[in-house]
Amino acid sequence: VQLQASGGLVQAGGSLRLSCVASGNIRSINGMGWYRQAPGKQRELVATIGRSGRLNYADSVRDRFIISRDNAKNTVYLQMNSLKPEDTAIYYCNAAVWATGSECYMDYWGKGTQVTVSS
């Protein structure tokens, strides 16, 4: 199972949409989400979405970011609006995946994609 995400460069106040596709021998995907790690800081939760659509956001992004998913495409999205320089970080996607041949859900992580917000 692999998770592959795309990021980018944007100016402050702008918008950017991240997407992450899970591929491989996937039987089912439960929760999906986004985390980020800024230089010199620990990785932190940005937003998560359950298979049924239950949402959870970090307070710092709650009114600016929107997480969504397409279960048919095994894809999770993060629409980021009103971006600030402090949103600059490496963004990691995460998914709880039940892979073919496994007996339970396991956490998988993407390699991370750089998001840079210039002031």
Side-chain angles (χ1 to χ4, degrees), residues 40-84:
K41 295 187 177 181
Q42 290 187 335
R43 188 176 299 187
E44 63 176 5
L45 178 147
V46 177
T48 61
I49 181 168
R51 182 170 181 83
S52 61
R54 181 174 182 177
L55 305 175
N56 183 39
Y57 290 97
D59 289 341
S60 60
V61 307
R62 186 179 305 279
D63 297 325
R64 300 184 295 122
F65 292 7
I66 300 172
I67 189 171
S68 61
R69 64 189 285 173
D70 185 332
N71 291 332
K73 296 181 179 179
N74 293 336
T75 300
V76 61
Y77 305 96
L78 186 68
Q79 177 66 43
M80 304 186 292
N81 303 314
S82 302
L83 281 159
K84 306 174 182 180

Side-chain angles (χ1 to χ4, degrees), residues 95-115:
V97 178
W98 190 340
T100 303
S102 296
E103 296 182 352
C104 63
Y105 287 96
M106 295 180 63
D107 263 351
Y108 288 86
W109 291 87
K111 292 183 179 180
T113 185
Q114 178 70 47
V115 172

Side-chain angles (χ1 to χ4, degrees), residues 32-44:
M32 304 183 82
W34 293 92
Y35 294 73
R36 68 186 181 186
Q37 187 167 15
K41 295 187 177 181
Q42 290 187 335
R43 188 176 299 187
E44 63 176 5

